[in-house]
Amino acid sequence: MRRPCAFPVVPCPSAGTPTTTAPLLVGHRGASGYRPEHTLASYELAVRQGADVIEPDLVSTRDGVLVARHENEISGTTDVALRPELASRRATKLVDGQEVTGWFTEDLTLAELRTLRARERLPLVRRRSTAMDGRYVVPTFDEVLDLALRASRETGRTIGVAPETKHPTYFDSIGLSLEEPLLASLRAKGLDRAGSAVYVQSFEQANLRELRVLGAQVHLVQLTSAGPTARPYDHVVAGDPRTYAQMTTAAGLREVATYADVLGPDRSQVLPRGSTGATGAPTRLVADAHDAGLRVVPYTVRAENRFLPAQHRRGTDPDAYGDVSGELGELFDAGIDGVFVDQPDLARASRDGASR
Ligand code: G3P
Ligand code: CA
């Protein structure tokens, strides 16, 4: 069954109809090319640089508060390892079947987490951002929502929010389910309504379905990974053999469209890379997803040469910027409806320049 589509920034797709409006720009972890990711400073800059939507990844504290971090293990993006008072919290755990050692949000109360300061995740690539190490706290989801609401008032634009539930099966297993507090926060701020510029993402499938059962009115985004055998972790736990590759066939996409509004693929699922690292012709994914009634918002375009397709790299420094407009232009030409970006200013210039 096809769900009714309501996409506030760009209109809904219909079979065979190309997108005619500007693709949505999602500030990936804020403006993470310029600021330590998932900080209020990073989100604020993303808005000022023209992002339509800001993206907090969400994990839980020990006392059940949703906070913005890419993983529940936080030694790579905070100064927790330098805190002697928290040294005893270092632990090794199995998270989504992988052994992980470090400090975990679920072992800290919000008050304890707030004593930490954020750090740049990629200090050797984004050296300038390390100048801001130590300045910012880890924000709560509520604070990110407040920022988006305030920024919408101040700019006169609708600033959307795309929260991603991280490791939902794992958090269920330790009694810190993510979906209920997520909906509670959205509802407390009047954001869980049809047409709201909220896009809840997950690499898992069961928790998106659960959100519908819980009555969520917001857009749901099914994220998918590339690779022939990759599959959602809830499928692994349930013994469900379906892979992301199967979920992104024409038939698989029609099934995704029964509960989700948007597909968030790895960008290589739209523009596959060959053996040289260059992208070639687009796959059928965008057309098939549109036929199923899904929008397509791939992740993640980054301006540094090391992340770009080979034909868009410039010079030999892997950390210098290449021709990010070249990659974005190919994705726009492939018919995408939005894109996750680390440098919203460059994406905005590419998008708006291309549409003139
Ligand atoms: O949510 C889109 C994209 O952010 C998914 O990858 O690992 O950056 O959260 P990740
Ligand atoms: Ca994400």
Side-chain angles (χ1 to χ4, degrees):
M1 189 187 74
R2 188 166 160 162
R3 287 179 43 75
C5 169
F7 210 77
V9 180
V10 289
C12 302
S14 57
T17 304
T19 298
T20 55
T21 51
L24 201 65
L25 300 179
V26 184
H28 182 242
R29 314 182 194 177
S32 56
Y34 305 112
R35 295 286 184 276
E37 68 186 35
H38 292 312
T39 57
L40 293 182
S42 184
Y43 302 126
E44 189 83 44
L45 183 60
V47 171
R48 281 195 276 126
Q49 291 190 337
D52 303 299
V53 179
I54 52 177
E55 192 230 9
D57 294 324
L58 297 179
V59 293
S60 181
T61 64
R62 182 174 159 189
D63 41 353
V65 180
L66 297 184
V67 295
R69 286 291 93 186
H70 184 260
E71 297 97 12
N72 50 332
E73 198 290 298
I74 53 173
S75 61
T77 61
T78 72
D79 58 1
V80 66
L82 305 177
R83 300 301 183 100
E85 70 278 16
L86 295 173
S88 64
R89 309 289 179 89
R90 189 168 186 267
T92 298
K93 306 186 182 200
L94 266 188
V95 181
D96 295 359
Q98 304 289 318
E99 194 172 276
V100 182
T101 297
W103 287 261
F104 295 83
T105 57
E106 66 267 26
D107 295 335
L108 303 177
T109 63
L110 178 64
E112 289 171 328
L113 188 72
R114 291 289 248 189
T115 67
L116 305 179
R117 293 295 178 270
R119 299 170 74 91
E120 169 57 41
R121 172 191 293 278
L122 303 172
L124 300 180
V125 178
R126 294 172 171 166
R127 296 184 195 92
R128 288 184 181 180
S129 292
T130 64
M132 286 158 279
D133 283 356
R135 286 198 195 176
Y136 309 120
V137 297
V138 174
T140 65
F141 181 42
D142 283 345
E143 289 172 327
V144 180
L145 293 176
D146 287 341
L147 185 154
L149 290 167
R150 174 181 54 74
S152 297
R153 287 193 300 273
E154 289 175 358
T155 63
R157 300 156 43 211
T158 299
I159 305 300
V161 183
E164 181 188 344
T165 53
K166 285 291 184 187
H167 313 299
T169 292
Y170 171 79
F171 275 106
D172 276 349
S173 77
I174 59 172
L176 289 169
S177 178
L178 302 175
E179 294 74 26
E180 294 82 0
L182 182 146
L183 276 182
S185 287
L186 292 174
R187 287 171 178 166
K189 297 183 188 301
L191 288 168
D192 182 28
R193 51 185 167 71
S196 169
V198 174
Y199 311 85
V200 178
Q201 317 168 66
S202 181
F203 278 103
E204 296 191 12
Q205 189 177 46
N207 81 312
L208 291 179
R209 293 184 186 280
E210 181 189 349
L211 282 163
R212 287 291 181 226
V213 171
L214 293 171
Q217 300 294 305
V218 295
H219 308 283
L220 299 183
V221 183
Q222 179 67 66
L223 298 169
T224 59
S225 293
T229 60
R231 59 183 168 144
Y233 189 65
D234 59 306
H235 287 197
V236 174
V237 170
D240 182 336
R242 282 174 302 159
T243 61
Y244 291 120
Q246 289 169 296
M247 291 166 66
T248 49
T249 62
L253 291 165
R254 286 194 291 275
E255 209 257 322
V256 169
T258 62
Y259 61 88
D261 310 283
V262 182
L263 185 76
D266 186 301
R267 69 205 208 280
S268 70
Q269 295 177 284
V270 176
L271 292 173
R273 291 194 191 190
S275 56
T276 64
T279 48
T283 63
R284 284 201 50 79
L285 183 65
V286 173
D288 288 344
H290 284 176
D291 283 347
L294 292 164
R295 288 288 183 186
V296 182
V297 182
Y299 63 90
T300 298
V301 172
R302 300 173 165 106
E304 292 90 352
N305 277 322
R306 67 173 67 238
F307 302 117
L308 288 168
Q311 74 271 33
H312 299 307
R313 296 172 197 152
R314 297 291 177 263
T316 55
D317 179 353
D319 303 327
Y321 284 2
D323 178 17
V324 70
S325 288
E327 180 177 16
L328 286 165
E330 288 179 4
L331 287 165
F332 296 154
D333 289 347
I336 62 165
D337 304 289
V339 61
F340 290 84
V341 295
D342 279 10
Q343 287 93 359
D345 56 341
L346 302 181
R348 185 74 188 231
S350 300
R351 184 191 74 179
D352 295 355
S355 66
R356 276 200 286 274

